[in-house]
Amino acid sequence: MSKSFWLLLDPRIYAVSVSLLISVFTIVVPDSPNDDAYLYIRTAEIFLSDGFASAFQHFPWASYSLLIASLSLLGFELFTAAYILNALFYGVLVYSFVSIVKQINPSRTVILLACVCILVYPQLNEYRYLVIRDIGFWAFSMLALWQFLLYAENHSHRFAIAFSTALLLAATFRAEALLYLVCTPIGLLFDSRFEKAVCRRNFVRLVGILAAAVVATMALFTVIGIDIYGLFLEFISVYQPFVDSLLNSDAAGDSEMSRVLFGSHAAAYSQEYLGLFLAAGLFAILMANLFNGIGGAFLLVLLFGLYRRQFKMPRSVVIPVALYLLVNIGILFTFLFITRYLSSRYAMLFCLLLALMVPVILAQLLTSGVDNRRRLMPLLLVFFSYCAIDSYYSFGHSKSFVFDSVEWIEENAESSASLLTNNHAIAYSSGMVENYDKIPRFLTETELLSTSTGDLIAIEMHFEMMQVLENESLASSLELLTSFSDEDDPGIAIYRRVEP
């Protein structure tokens, strides 16, 4: 039979098709955008109006925004272009995930389960509604891992080039992809399928191709006007304040922190253990983020597989995956140690690598006997149903009051009035705030009073803003016009600045 016929039978093609259909739903029925989205959209607008250099000046890691802007030239609105781009990234991610599982176990049962697992992985699919560059990073990082496994097996130059290209593309979304580029080839030296001399030769060949790819990329960036050194300095400068704070801690600050953590009496005895206390707390935050990233349902399967010793993965796959995991956990802990915070999405690549074993464990349970299969099928149906519901049904509060606020502002704002707000969606959708991506979450009393008479002030009423508005000096300067909320959220309050 023809190659095209066998391609049609490939479950990965159907998995990607389903993924694209799911993404179409997110485009047709969008949710309220995340705050980060407005930075990417604003950068895309700047690229379209002012060009390449201005976009990178506004946001140094602008490649994601440039792709959004380029796709919008086909006639799409910028947010729609972003969702389409993410849909393509999800397609790459789904295909790569299943392909890596196929390298672990080529059984058709395992491959089919892998297709279902990645399509209903709750923690991953919750990001479908977000406009974030991380999705491209995950997609190309997983694609690179798959290509590395193929190169380790076949030693073909095309897989080496694909591995290098995929990780360099991933690096245009997040710089840490370069660490995978440096560390992953080491796995070739421990491939037990080949003699040591062959392993060293394959390693040297891949390193040579990587070096050539990096040099070619740097030359391309120089030609098109991207300052790589400037990008590096900008990347470092983001974390410089955190590093300075970490290295220049003072005794007074440590003493104050000890009193807050341990109380006035215990601080005298426990302050010397403050570093140990903070390290343990940071490690707990890391574990909590990993737990949130993998999710309860998948974690139960992994723990069961560990208990039953069903983690059967070929050594040729174990070593590259282990290197990916080690690099990722090192990145996570370093980031957490420096910045003292961590988002679950930073741990998503780590969790995707762990999730590779979920379809393998489920397949081993299903094929362990006819009686087991009959008992497990209903449980498996419940498992996948739960994951699908958790993936695609939102249990969060509706944010429709934000759009109601925008509609009210559009209908009632005077043409001469300006708008001050701490909500990105209102700033963007109202069209009254030029730099809508730089909206602060907290507005100070000074900022509120610096507005002109007749200006509108739309405030997202979280606790800190409620505290500010309780100041008596604001009572005579702000006139409450209307508010929008639901029963579980304070919502949006719209004021007019008046003469006291």
Side-chain angles (χ1 to χ4, degrees):
M1 297 183 181
S2 66
K3 185 177 180 179
S4 59
F5 175 78
W6 287 112
L7 187 63
L8 290 174
L9 295 179
D10 192 337
R12 293 173 294 183
I13 300 299
Y14 295 102
V16 171
S17 300
V18 172
S19 176
L20 292 174
L21 287 174
I22 293 169
S23 295
V24 168
F25 179 79
T26 66
I27 296 171
V28 175
V29 188
D31 200 356
S32 178
N34 52 299
D35 286 346
D36 290 352
Y38 298 98
L39 171 61
Y40 302 125
I41 297 300
R42 177 61 181 153
T43 306
E45 287 180 345
I46 291 173
F47 171 68
L48 292 173
S49 61
D50 301 329
F52 193 86
S54 297
F56 274 88
Q57 186 176 4
H58 182 76
F59 178 49
W61 231 258
S63 55
Y64 181 53
S65 297
L66 264 59
L67 290 174
I68 293 172
S70 300
L71 194 56
S72 73
L73 294 175
L74 298 177
F76 300 110
E77 189 267 336
L78 284 172
F79 269 105
T80 302
Y83 288 126
I84 292 174
L85 186 62
N86 285 353
L88 298 176
F89 289 154
Y90 265 101
V92 173
L93 178 56
V94 167
Y95 195 93
S96 301
F97 179 91
V98 180
S99 297
I100 296 172
V101 173
K102 187 178 179 181
Q103 292 294 120
I104 299 172
N105 188 330
S107 163
R108 192 165 183 84
T109 300
V110 174
I111 294 172
L112 289 172
L113 286 170
C115 292
V116 179
C117 284
I118 193 65
L119 290 172
V120 300
Y121 185 6
Q123 278 61 34
L124 174 66
N125 289 296
E126 285 173 359
Y127 292 109
R128 285 185 182 268
Y129 284 98
L130 304 188
V131 178
I132 51 174
R133 57 191 166 124
D134 303 69
I135 300 171
F137 168 67
W138 303 332
F140 287 114
S141 296
M142 293 295 284
L143 176 62
L145 178 58
W146 173 41
Q147 293 302 304
F148 177 83
L149 295 175
L150 294 176
Y151 172 76
E153 180 180 357
N154 301 316
H155 311 149
S156 171
H157 283 76
R158 65 188 179 97
F159 295 131
I161 294 171
F163 165 73
S164 307
T165 304
L167 274 181
L168 287 173
L169 286 172
T172 64
F173 296 96
R174 300 207 71 90
E176 52 264 40
L178 296 175
L179 292 176
Y180 298 97
L181 194 70
V182 171
C183 296
T184 308
I186 297 173
L188 292 171
L189 298 175
F190 301 94
D191 196 332
S192 59
R193 294 173 294 180
F194 307 99
E195 296 180 358
K196 293 295 183 182
V198 176
C199 292
R200 287 193 293 270
R201 187 162 58 249
N202 292 331
F203 172 77
V204 171
R205 183 188 297 121
L206 180 57
V207 170
I209 292 173
L210 286 176
V214 170
V215 170
T217 301
M218 293 178 67
L220 175 63
F221 282 2
T222 302
V223 169
I224 62 179
I226 297 179
D227 181 7
I228 299 176
Y229 181 69
L231 283 177
F232 176 76
L233 291 180
E234 182 70 26
F235 178 76
I236 296 297
S237 68
V238 172
Y239 301 101
Q240 187 65 41
F242 297 105
V243 175
D244 290 342
S245 175
L246 185 67
L247 296 178
N248 300 318
S249 60
D250 60 287
D254 290 345
S255 177
E256 180 64 25
M257 186 181 297
S258 296
R259 283 197 298 271
V260 172
L261 292 174
F262 306 121
S264 298
H265 177 70
Y269 303 95
S270 300
Q271 183 172 339
E272 61 181 302
Y273 304 110
L274 179 62
L276 182 62
F277 181 89
L278 290 175
L282 293 175
F283 182 76
I285 292 174
L286 177 61
M287 291 299 102
N289 274 274
L290 292 177
F291 174 82
N292 288 335
I294 192 64
F298 275 38
L299 181 62
L300 286 175
V301 175
L302 292 171
L303 292 176
F304 183 78
L306 183 63
Y307 172 74
R308 294 285 296 269
R309 298 182 179 179
Q310 292 179 317
F311 273 80
K312 297 179 181 179
M313 186 183 292
R315 177 183 171 88
S316 58
V317 179
V318 167
I319 294 175
V321 170
L323 286 170
Y324 254 57
L325 288 170
L326 288 173
V327 170
N328 191 250
I329 202 71
I331 292 170
L332 292 176
F333 194 78
T334 302
F335 181 86
L336 178 60
F337 186 74
I338 292 175
T339 64
R340 306 297 173 88
Y341 78 92
L342 189 65
S343 169
S344 294
R345 76 177 188 231
Y346 298 153
M348 194 68 246
L349 184 57
F350 185 95
C351 297
L352 279 167
L353 295 169
L354 292 182
L356 292 169
M357 286 307 302
V358 172
V360 178
I361 294 170
L362 293 176
Q364 289 174 357
L365 292 174
L366 286 174
T367 57
S368 59
V370 176
D371 291 338
N372 277 345
R373 189 182 303 118
R374 289 173 179 171
R375 289 196 301 268
L376 287 171
M377 285 303 292
L379 292 176
L380 198 61
L381 182 61
V382 171
F383 172 79
F384 284 134
S385 298
Y386 168 81
C387 289
I389 294 171
D390 195 18
S391 291
Y392 303 115
Y393 182 81
S394 174
F395 295 94
H397 301 309
S398 170
K399 293 290 185 179
S400 60
F401 61 84
V402 174
F403 302 105
D404 293 338
S405 303
V406 172
E407 185 177 346
W408 189 93
I409 291 171
E410 290 175 342
E411 293 176 353
N412 294 275
E414 297 178 4
S415 58
S416 60
S418 297
L419 174 67
L420 177 67
T421 182
N422 63 336
N423 182 277
H424 285 85
I426 291 176
Y428 173 79
S429 300
S430 66
M432 298 176 66
V433 181
E434 181 180 3
N435 296 317
Y436 55 80
D437 57 315
K438 297 180 179 179
I439 297 302
R441 175 174 170 78
F442 308 108
L443 296 173
T444 65
E445 181 180 351
T446 301
E447 288 172 321
L448 293 172
L449 293 177
S450 66
T451 55
S452 302
T453 301
D455 286 349
L456 294 180
I457 303 172
I459 301 178
E460 185 176 349
M461 300 294 288
H462 48 71
F463 176 77
E464 291 82 0
M465 289 310 307
M466 292 181 183
Q467 294 291 104
V468 171
L469 291 171
E470 288 179 359
N471 294 339
E472 293 183 3
S473 58
L474 292 174
S476 60
S477 300
L478 299 180
E479 176 190 1
L480 178 63
L481 299 178
T482 186
S483 62
F484 300 88
S485 63
D486 60 28
E487 58 184 11
D488 299 310
D489 199 309
I492 304 293
I494 302 177
Y495 296 84
R496 178 186 287 119
R497 177 75 161 86
V498 296
E499 287 291 342

